[in-house]
Amino acid sequence: MERQRGGCLLNGCVTLLVLALALVAYGWWRLETAPGRAQARAEDDVTRTAASTRTELSAAAAGGALFETELDRVFRKGPHSGWAEERDGGHVTVTALLTGSTGVWMGTVTAHGCYEFTVTPAAAPPPVHERELPDERCERLPPRPVREPADVARDLAAELRATVSKGTAGDSARRTILMSTPGVRLQDHAYEGSGAAQVTVALVWLDRGSGPQGWDCYEFRVRAPRTATFKSLKPDGCHRIQRERDAQSEAARRDQLDEVAGRIRRALAGAVAGDGRLTDAETRRAFALRQKDAVTSEQVLANLTHTDRSADGSRITLTARVNGLRSMPWYEGCYAFRVDLRARAVTARTTAKTCLVPGS
């Protein structure tokens, strides 16, 4: 009986040893083959990149043309190490060195593949013929020629022209064109008019120009039925829309403050209309008027900062910081309320005098 138990124990040890050796061997095999498997995944990524590139080229050429700006979006922003194009009649052939990668515990493994894509633009998504070339073909790719901003603008206008009839989808397409094309930077955009007469205005910086830091400013105007125009502007022209917004905001701020100051002026005028006097209590009441949307007693229309009286006491100047809406605390302005007790009249106007409230 003792020998049987010892034999079972020995058999169990042998089994565990065999399993341990198998695990070690498997781990060693995985370690030895890891580089090859990582390389295979990276090469698969190259294949997937080639397939997605083919799809993008087909979509880009579906409008009947394939512009340089469309090729820029396909190749310059993707995992491509270099590319060149040839145009022969209606055919466009692009040779590109595609890059794939995969992450491993020791870093990143990359792979490359040289591919040739041939497409004939058509009114519908055309087929794109693709073939893999020897890597040496991509080692001799000529450098991309430098394009003038005016040439880029011409391509962008042609692309934008095709978006006019797409409704709301056209807005999305325009944003993609102006925000995703390398060397193109959308500064601002706005809409003029409405309905069928609406015009989309875009202010855009184009690279490789002669303006500040090598960027030139262009204005694009897109309107129905199929019109897209462009013109070059001086550098400050790319900030025109923002200046207009700032001017509108300032006008709204001034109107708001004038309305608030008008309430205080009417309260002061009502106080002096009867007996031609203005007491301290009446002044405090006028400046204690609360905002319409106030939730606390501190949210008054204005804070009195200075009081000046003429020698004979017939004229009083009350300087106050007028507050805007509670929801827009930056709407503030300094106003002078001039009270003429003899004429029983009150005027209000903005002043450059300091309006800091004591303790603020």
Side-chain angles (χ1 to χ4, degrees):
M1 295 295 294
E2 292 296 331
R3 284 198 301 272
Q4 290 178 354
R5 284 198 298 269
C8 290
L9 180 61
L10 181 60
N11 290 338
C13 292
V14 171
T15 301
L16 290 175
L17 181 59
V18 171
L19 288 175
L21 290 174
L23 288 174
V24 170
Y26 177 74
W28 183 261
W29 174 81
R30 293 283 297 180
L31 187 62
E32 284 291 310
T33 59
R37 286 183 285 108
Q39 185 67 28
R41 289 197 300 272
E43 292 172 356
D44 288 342
D45 192 43
V46 173
T47 303
R48 286 191 293 270
T49 299
S52 65
T53 300
R54 185 176 63 247
T55 300
E56 291 176 25
L57 284 173
S58 179
L66 188 57
F67 298 103
E68 297 280 348
T69 46
E70 292 176 303
L71 292 176
D72 282 342
R73 285 199 299 277
V74 173
F75 289 99
R76 283 179 60 185
K77 295 199 73 174
H80 312 95
S81 300
W83 60 284
E85 66 169 303
E86 294 181 6
R87 295 179 181 263
D88 181 14
H91 305 288
V92 181
T93 301
V94 182
T95 305
L97 182 63
L98 309 186
T99 301
S101 64
T102 185
V104 293
W105 67 272
M106 74 286 287
T108 302
V109 175
T110 60
H112 302 281
C114 187
Y115 283 80
E116 181 183 84
F117 302 91
T118 303
V119 57
T120 303
V128 177
H129 302 288
E130 161 205 335
R131 65 180 179 130
E132 190 170 4
L133 303 176
D135 290 349
E136 304 81 60
R137 287 285 300 275
C138 283
E139 293 175 357
R140 300 188 299 271
L141 293 177
R144 294 290 300 164
V146 176
R147 302 191 69 208
E148 295 295 326
D151 295 332
V152 176
R154 193 172 296 108
D155 281 357
L156 292 174
E159 285 196 77
L160 293 172
R161 193 173 299 120
T163 69
V164 178
S165 61
K166 295 182 179 180
T168 55
D171 287 338
S172 177
R174 282 189 282 274
R175 283 194 296 272
T176 299
I177 292 170
L178 297 178
M179 296 181 69
S180 300
T181 304
V184 179
R185 197 171 71 205
L186 177 64
Q187 176 66 33
D188 213 336
H189 75 284
Y191 300 99
E192 296 178 0
S194 60
Q198 187 179 78
V199 178
T200 302
V201 181
L203 300 177
V204 176
W205 295 103
L206 299 183
D207 197 4
R208 304 181 187 276
S210 58
Q213 299 179 342
W215 294 83
D216 285 353
C217 178
Y218 277 77
E219 178 189 75
F220 292 86
R221 301 179 69 87
V222 183
R223 61 183 179 273
R226 291 179 62 86
T227 304
T229 60
F230 68 92
K231 65 178 179 179
S232 176
L233 302 178
K234 293 181 179 180
D236 66 341
C238 267
H239 302 286
R240 174 179 59 81
I241 293 175
Q242 186 59 51
R243 286 197 298 270
E244 292 173 354
R245 288 199 192 100
D246 292 343
Q248 293 171 357
S249 178
E250 176 59 23
R253 186 186 79 89
R254 184 58 55 196
D255 290 344
Q256 168 66 24
L257 293 178
D258 286 346
E259 179 185 348
V260 172
R263 289 184 60 191
I264 297 173
R265 184 193 63 78
R266 289 190 293 272
L268 293 170
V272 302
D275 55 9
R277 295 189 304 146
L278 181 64
T279 65
D280 291 342
E282 289 169 330
T283 300
R284 284 194 298 270
R285 281 196 297 271
F287 284 97
L289 293 172
R290 295 172 61 191
Q291 297 177 4
K292 295 178 181 179
D293 60 347
V295 294
T296 67
S297 59
E298 288 80 16
Q299 292 166 346
V300 294
L301 292 180
N303 299 100
L304 184 63
T305 60
H306 298 90
T307 300
D308 298 315
R309 295 179 182 272
S310 63
D312 61 2
S314 63
R315 290 184 296 277
I316 306 171
T317 300
L318 305 169
T319 305
R321 187 184 69 190
V322 173
N323 306 315
L325 295 173
R326 176 172 58 86
S327 58
M328 294 179 285
W330 58 91
Y331 275 24
E332 294 181 348
C334 193
Y335 279 73
F337 298 88
R338 289 184 168 83
V339 182
D340 189 333
L341 297 180
R342 290 177 180 173
R344 301 186 183 186
V346 180
T347 60
R349 67 172 186 175
T350 58
T351 176
K353 189 172 182 177
T354 303
C355 261
L356 293 177
V357 177
S360 63

